[in-house]
Every structure is written in structure tokens, then in C-alpha cells.
Amino acid sequence: MMTLTEQMITIAVVVLGTMLTRFLPFLVFPAGKPTPDYIKYLGRVLPAAVFGMLVVYCLKNVSFLTGSHGLPELIAIAVVVTLHSWKRQMLLSIAGGTVCYMLLVQMVF
Amino acid sequence: MKKKYAGALRAAFPYTVPIFASFWFLGLTYGIYMNVSGFSFWYPCLMSLTIFAGSVEFVAVSFLLGAFNPFQALAMTLMINARHLFYGISMLEKYRGTGLKKLYLIFGMCDESFSINYTAKIPPGVDKGWFMFFVTLLNHFYWFFGATLGGLFGSLVRFNTEGLEFVMTAMFVVIFMEQWFKDRQHTGAVGGLLLSAVCLWIFGPERFIIPSMAAILLALTFARGRLEKGGATEE
């Protein structure tokens, strides 16, 4: 078991590491100076790709070969996509998909 | 003045409702995990306030339970949170001119705050800076609230919330779609999905994020001429 000081240092290091990843771009490209065109370009095109990456990130522990084969996830995502294409109400799409998923994993699979 | 804050808070709140659902639940889980790992509620309480990055806080529990190794803790934290570098690059312009609030906006830029602040259609007449500030603050509060509650009452909670964690997936799917509707062409979106999926398949769930980021960065760099000519990147 670590001492309290060692625990505090460990937590401080995690805070430092997290803040480094958040502040670094703003320190390297300060608001006063013109941002390089390449970085501006990345700022415009990255988000679409990053949102795709986050969707995959959410599904990273789903196993498509064993268990329920990712079916509850795929069905619930289909519900979200359908609801959102139809009504474009963020809360409705999210709530609909989540309730559907909960019913599926609690009652069906 | 007061009206400005109230207006921004009112506009921001609905966007954070799904995050309220997921953060109090995830925060609660995290607090309970800390509780059963033998830590007092002060740990999740202070860590949720100061770190405010969900996945790394879960991993931090294992740092705290293991042998003292700050360098390994730093390296792991940097790897898990490297994706924030992308968020920062994307928010350079949007956070411009927000004054001192900018420090807090950057501090609290978790996946969810970034996603909402990047995609939200802020109504005209609502102060942009304060809108993003309240989105970040509310998210921070939900996380803190769940984590502390879980740490306090950890062992007492028993109810069937199985599957509630899907709220996060649903939210990112919706945000992905919103970005899709906004873009005139979808090379980036499709590329992000496919490259991450391939990296997940090759490297596995624990270490696919860094390769995915590298692949996305490379692909976007190579496609720059084509994407900029196609007018895909106009604001």
C-alpha cells in the first residue's frame, strides 16, 4: 500500500498528464499569433473523423463473434439513426436508443 | 448582465441532459469502484474535480492500488488522453476570445464537453463563451456529483440499470450524425470510422487509440489537397 504522499503524487501526476494533453495545442498555437494553415485545416476536418473514432471507442468492448454478437448494440444504434434521421431531436434519439438497448440486454439477450 | 448568464445556462442545459444521465451513472460506478477498492469518498470526490477525464480516473484506481510508479502513471495518462490533443486543435478557433473562461474551458474539455461545444447550434443572442462555459461546468458537476455519491453510498445501491451506459454510445452516434449533416462530403467521417475499426481489430481495445489517431492524421494529411479543393472544409 502506498503512503498518503505517494498517493497524492500519483494523483497529481495524472492531473498533470491530463492537463498537458488538453492545454498543449493552445500553448503551441497561442491565440495572438496566426495559426499555421495546416493546423487550421486539421481543426476543420479532424472533428468528423474524431466523432467516428469516438463511436468505435464506445463499442470497443463489444464482441461480435461471441455472446450476443453485438446484436443489441447494432439494433439500438439502428434505432438511434432512424429516430435521428426522422425527427432530428437529439434527446429523443438518445433516449429512444438507450431505452431500447436496456430492454434488449435486460429482457431479450 | 444577469440575463446573459441565465440565457446561456438555459440554452446549454438541454444539450447536457444525456450527459447528466450517463455521468451520474458512470460517476456513481466509479465512486462505488473506489469505495469497494478501500478508498474513502474523498478520493473520488477530489479526483473527479481535479482530473475530470473518466477513463483515466478508472485506470488511476489501479495506479493507486499498485506499487508507487509516477512515471508509468504519467505515460499511461498521456496515452489514454492523447485524443484531447485533437480536441484542442479543433477548438483553437472556437475558444478564441472567451477571456479568462478559456482556461476553464480547456481544463474541462472532456470528450462530451468537446463534442457538444463543437457541434451545438448556439442560438443567436446567446453568448457563445458563456454557453460553452455552462456546458463544461454542468458536465463537470454531474461527474463530480455521481462520483462523490458513489463514494459515499457505494455499497448501498441496488437497482437494475443494466444497459444505461449505452446513453454515451447513443450520444456519440447522434453527434456523429449531426456532423455528417453539416458536412458536404464525408471522407473524414467515413475515414475516422473505418480506420479506427481496423486499428481496433489489429491492436485490440486497450491500445487502438494511438494507432487510430496516427492513421487519421496521416490520411487527412494526404487527402488535404483533394479535401480543400472540394470545398469540404469551408466554415
Side-chain angles (χ1 to χ4, degrees):
Chain A
M1 196 71 192
M2 284 187 211
T3 64
L4 185 66
T5 319
E6 287 175 338
Q7 286 183 340
M8 289 304 129
I9 293 172
T10 304
I11 294 173
V13 158
V14 176
V15 174
L16 177 83
T18 304
M19 288 312 125
L20 209 60
T21 60
R22 287 186 185 164
F23 277 90
L24 200 64
F26 296 89
L27 296 175
V28 178
F29 308 110
K33 287 195 207 140
T35 312
D37 280 344
Y38 172 62
I39 299 299
K40 274 195 191 160
Y41 159 76
L42 283 184
R44 290 189 301 264
V45 293
L46 263 183
V50 171
F51 295 138
M53 185 176 88
L54 282 171
V55 170
V56 175
Y57 181 73
C58 285
L59 299 171
K60 69 183 160 97
N61 291 318
V62 177
S63 165
F64 290 95
L65 299 175
T66 54
S68 54
H69 302 283
L71 274 177
E73 285 80 11
L74 292 177
I75 296 170
I77 286 177
V79 169
V80 174
V81 172
T82 312
L83 277 175
H84 203 63
S85 311
W86 177 36
K87 293 275 185 188
R88 274 194 84 171
Q89 294 275 335
M90 188 172 94
L91 294 181
L92 175 77
S93 317
I94 294 172
T98 307
V99 169
C100 165
Y101 184 78
M102 290 176 80
L103 291 176
L104 285 173
V105 291
Q106 288 182 17
M107 295 171 161
V108 184
F109 288 94
Chain B
M1 274 311 261
K2 251 203 190 120
K3 235 178 168 176
K4 184 165 88 176
Y5 305 139
L9 179 61
R10 229 187 337 249
F13 176 70
Y15 283 95
T16 70
V17 171
I19 297 163
F20 172 74
S22 84
F23 269 22
W24 77 258
F25 173 68
L26 275 175
L28 207 66
T29 315
Y30 165 64
I32 294 170
Y33 181 39
M34 284 297 272
N35 180 302
V36 298
S37 303
F39 295 99
S40 107
F41 81 96
W42 283 108
Y43 286 82
C45 171
L46 290 176
M47 286 166 74
S48 61
L49 271 183
T50 55
I51 305 174
F52 190 36
S55 40
V56 97
E57 281 175 60
F58 275 96
V59 180
V61 182
S62 64
F63 298 161
L64 289 173
L65 289 171
F68 181 59
N69 190 343
F71 293 104
Q72 196 197 320
L74 183 65
M76 287 276 284
T77 306
L78 290 175
M79 296 247 282
I80 297 170
N81 285 336
R83 62 187 189 284
H84 295 142
L85 294 170
F86 279 12
Y87 305 164
I89 291 172
S90 310
M91 291 312 259
L92 285 171
E93 303 289 323
K94 291 204 190 253
Y95 282 173
R96 185 163 286 180
T98 46
L100 267 183
K101 291 192 290 299
K102 190 168 170 180
L103 289 176
Y104 179 69
L105 288 173
I106 300 172
F107 167 83
M109 194 172 52
C110 61
D111 303 307
E112 295 74 13
S113 305
F114 158 71
S115 307
I116 291 187
N117 284 336
Y118 188 85
T119 46
K121 292 179 282 285
I122 304 172
V126 171
D127 185 277
K128 243 183 54 189
W130 284 107
F131 175 92
M132 298 193 289
F133 176 83
F134 281 122
V135 166
T136 312
L137 184 71
L138 285 169
N139 290 347
H140 197 176
F141 173 72
Y142 302 151
W143 178 248
F144 161 76
F145 168 75
T148 307
L149 217 62
L152 275 173
F153 304 108
S155 37
L156 306 174
V157 199
R158 292 280 179 279
F159 49 95
N160 196 358
T161 49
E162 195 193 345
L164 184 60
E165 72 278 4
F166 190 80
V167 75
M168 198 72 98
T169 314
M171 191 190 78
F172 284 125
V173 170
V174 165
I175 283 169
F176 178 81
M177 289 178 74
E178 281 296 318
Q179 185 65 32
W180 184 281
F181 293 142
K182 248 195 228 171
D183 288 339
R184 261 177 292 164
Q185 59 98 359
H186 309 293
T187 318
V190 175
L193 270 184
L194 287 181
L195 292 172
S196 315
V198 170
C199 288
L200 173 62
W201 182 58
I202 298 174
F203 297 97
E206 301 313 319
R207 48 194 93 206
F208 82 104
I209 284 289
I210 303 273
S212 304
M213 286 175 60
I216 287 171
L217 209 55
L218 271 177
L220 288 177
T221 304
F222 280 119
R224 186 178 173 195
R226 209 170 63 81
L227 286 183
E228 288 203 305
K229 211 191 289 163
T233 62
E234 272 169 41
E235 279 288 90

